[in-house]
Amino acid sequence: MNLSRRNFIKTVSAVTAGTTILPNIAIASIMKPIKSKKLKLTFRTYELQLKHTFTVAEYSRDTTPVVLTELEYDGIIGYGEASMPPYLGESHKSVTSFLSKVNLSQFNDPFRIDDILTYVDSVDKKNRAAKASVDIALHDLIGKIVNQPLYKLWGLNPDKTPVTSFTIGIDKPDVVRTKTKEAKGFKVLKVKLGRGNDKEMINAVRDITNVPLYVDVNQGWKNKENALDMIHWLKEKGVIFIEQPLPKENIDDMAWLTQNSPLPTMADEAFQRLSDVAKFKGVYSGINIKLMKSTGLREAHKMITVAKALEMKVMMGCMTETSCAVSAAAQLSPLVDWADLDGNLLISNDVYEGVKVIDGKITLNNLPGIGIRKL
Ligand code: MG
C-alpha cells in the first residue's frame, strides 16, 4: 500500500516536473514537420525611416541601416537584428559580409549557446552589431523551442521592468517644445546636449514638463571644469544622470569629473564589451549597455552581473532599431537601474510588434523568446 502510493507520487511528480520544458520540445518535434535539424541563418538588409531628423552632438540623420536575421531550426524561426548607426563603423556591406562567413550548419544543437556564440565571436574581431543579430536570433529561437519568454528562463520578475526614457534630440527651442509635448505619457525624458545650446535645450523642455531628465552629451563637452559647472546647474533642473559628458579618450578628466560630480556619470561611447567594464570602475559611475555594442544578450547579461558586483550603475540603451532588438534588450531590463529603450518608437516602418511602453513603463508580454511577432 505504502509502496504503491509512493510510486504513484513519484510518477505524478515526474510528469509534473517534466511538463515544464521537455514535453514542449517533444510536442514541438511531433507536431512540426522536421525541416532541418541544423541551424540555418538567413538575413536581409533594411532601412529604418526616422520620424524626425535625429541630431546629437556629432551628426544628424534621417535613416538607420539595419540587417534582419532569421535563424531556423526544425521548423522554428528565431528573429534577430543588427542596427548600424554610422558612428559604430558597421554598414549593410560589413554586416552581410560577416554573416556570409558565419557557418552555423556545423551545429545541430541550438542549446549549445556558449559554443555557438563563442564561434560567432571568433569569425572576425569587430562586427559587434552583426554578432548581436545572431545572438538575438539564437535566444529568440531557444525561447520559442521551450515556449517561454526569455525573462522567465532567466528567472526575472516582469513587474520590475523600469520606466523608459524618450529621447529629445538637439534642435531649436520651438521644435524641442513640440517634441516634448509629443512625449507626453513618458515618466522620464532623455535630452541630448553638447552643441553649445545646452541651457536653451533644458529650458525649452522645462517650459513643457517637470518629469525627471536624463542627459546625454555624446562626448560634446571638452572642458572638465565647465562640465562640472553645467552638471551643478543641471542637477538644479531635475536631471538624474549625465551620459558620456567628455570625449571617450579623456580618461583622467573623466575620473576627476566623476569624483566631483553631484550626479552619476554613465559611459556610453567609451565602452563596448564585457572586458571594458572593470577598467571603468572609478572613471564613470556606471555603464550604458546596448546589445549592438555587447554583441548581444549573452554578453550583456554578464556585463550586468560584473557591473553590479563592482557597485556600478547599469543602464540599458539601444540604437534606432525595430521592435526586435528593443524587445530583446527589454527581456533583461528587470535587472537594470535605468532604461532608454525607445529606439523602435523613433521609426515609422517597424516590421515587428513586441514589448510595449505602457504608462511610461516597459511592459513585457508572454510571447516566447524575445517576445515579438511579425507585423
Ligand atoms: Mg548615449
Side-chain angles (χ1 to χ4, degrees):
M1 180 78 175
N2 275 347
L3 191 65
S4 65
R5 187 163 172 265
R6 210 180 297 138
N7 276 344
F8 172 75
I9 292 167
K10 225 157 78 183
T11 309
V12 170
S13 308
V15 169
T16 315
T19 49
T20 53
I21 290 177
L22 292 177
N24 283 331
I25 303 171
I27 290 163
S29 318
I30 295 162
M31 301 295 287
K32 305 233 176 225
I34 293 174
K35 297 264 167 58
S36 156
K37 281 285 192 181
K38 288 182 188 301
L39 285 164
K40 189 179 162 213
L41 178 70
T42 53
F43 50 87
R44 69 181 172 103
T45 60
Y46 190 64
E47 197 80 30
L48 300 182
Q49 305 295 326
L50 308 188
K51 289 178 186 169
H52 294 283
T53 301
F54 194 65
T55 302
V56 298
E58 292 169 318
Y59 58 82
S60 292
R61 66 175 199 271
D62 295 299
T63 61
T64 301
V66 299
V67 171
L68 303 173
T69 54
E70 294 193 0
L71 190 54
E72 193 233 308
Y73 179 83
D74 198 18
I76 301 175
I77 295 172
Y79 299 124
E81 176 179 13
S83 170
M84 295 87 72
Y87 75 90
L88 286 180
E90 286 178 83
S91 62
H92 276 155
K93 194 166 170 237
S94 70
V95 172
T96 53
S97 148
F98 175 86
L99 294 176
S100 305
K101 285 186 265 175
V102 172
N103 173 22
L104 294 184
S105 65
Q106 62 186 298
F107 298 101
N108 54 17
D109 180 358
F111 287 88
R112 298 265 169 98
I113 299 175
D114 259 320
D115 286 356
I116 295 167
L117 296 179
T118 300
Y119 155 72
V120 172
D121 200 16
S122 75
V123 170
D124 210 321
K125 274 194 178 147
K126 296 177 178 172
N127 303 98
R128 289 185 297 269
K131 290 169 182 175
S133 75
V134 182
D135 169 290
I136 295 168
L138 181 60
H139 281 86
D140 191 38
L141 177 68
I142 293 297
K144 283 173 173 163
I145 292 173
V146 301
N147 198 26
Q148 294 291 340
L150 285 171
Y151 69 84
K152 281 197 184 178
L153 295 177
W154 289 325
L156 304 180
N157 181 349
D159 296 338
K160 290 191 176 163
T161 54
V163 295
T164 178
S165 54
F166 184 81
T167 300
I168 309 287
I170 297 172
D171 225 312
K172 296 199 165 59
D174 54 335
V175 180
V176 171
R177 280 189 283 270
T178 305
K179 284 186 188 169
T180 306
K181 277 181 197 158
E182 285 172 15
K184 202 175 154 209
F186 286 87
K187 305 296 184 198
V188 58
L189 297 178
K190 175 158 147 177
V191 186
K192 297 283 191 178
L193 299 184
R195 269 204 175 178
N197 65 337
D198 297 345
K199 289 190 176 179
E200 184 183 74
M201 284 287 300
I202 296 293
N203 287 332
V205 172
R206 281 288 174 250
D207 285 343
I208 307 299
T209 178
N210 285 319
V211 296
L213 304 177
Y214 304 155
V215 154
D216 189 355
V217 188
N218 293 108
Q219 317 182 71
W221 296 342
K222 306 302 174 198
N223 173 290
K224 65 179 179 182
E225 284 87 4
N226 293 348
L228 185 59
D229 287 346
M230 184 58 80
I231 293 175
H232 278 285
W233 184 83
L234 291 169
K235 183 168 188 267
E236 297 303 311
K237 294 288 177 183
V239 171
I240 306 292
F241 65 75
I242 311 291
E243 196 178 321
Q244 201 62 57
L246 299 175
K248 58 184 178 185
E249 300 79 17
N250 299 5
I251 307 284
D252 292 343
D253 286 355
M254 196 53 236
W256 177 89
L257 187 61
T258 296
Q259 213 165 22
N260 291 285
S261 172
L263 294 177
T265 59
M266 301 297 285
D268 185 3
E269 287 88 336
F271 104 108
Q272 313 288 343
R273 299 196 58 176
L274 180 62
S275 56
D276 298 326
V277 180
K279 66 187 179 204
F280 285 127
K281 168 73 177 167
V283 180
Y284 295 87
S285 316
I287 53 170
N288 182 357
I289 297 172
K290 296 175 179 172
L291 298 185
M292 297 305 139
K293 299 194 300 181
S294 71
T295 68
L297 291 160
R298 180 179 73 138
E299 200 159 308
H301 203 169
K302 291 178 182 175
M303 281 173 167
I304 295 172
T305 307
V306 170
K308 287 191 163 194
L310 294 168
E311 297 183 325
M312 295 173 80
K313 293 283 188 190
V314 180
M315 172 184 179
M316 182 65 83
C318 63
M319 310 299 175
T320 37
E321 300 164 347
T322 71
S323 288
C324 176
V326 168
S327 300
Q331 301 292 321
L332 282 171
S333 71
L335 288 171
V336 307
D337 298 292
W338 300 305
D340 176 35
L341 293 176
D342 64 349
N344 56 333
L345 307 175
L346 304 174
I347 60 169
S348 58
N349 59 341
D350 204 342
V351 281
Y352 302 101
E353 180 181 41
V355 303
K356 298 265 187 276
V357 177
I358 298 176
D359 205 19
K361 186 174 152 74
I362 296 165
T363 306
L364 296 164
N365 57 44
N366 281 325
L367 292 174
I370 60 174
I372 61 169
R373 58 166 72 97
K374 265 187 180 171
L375 282 173

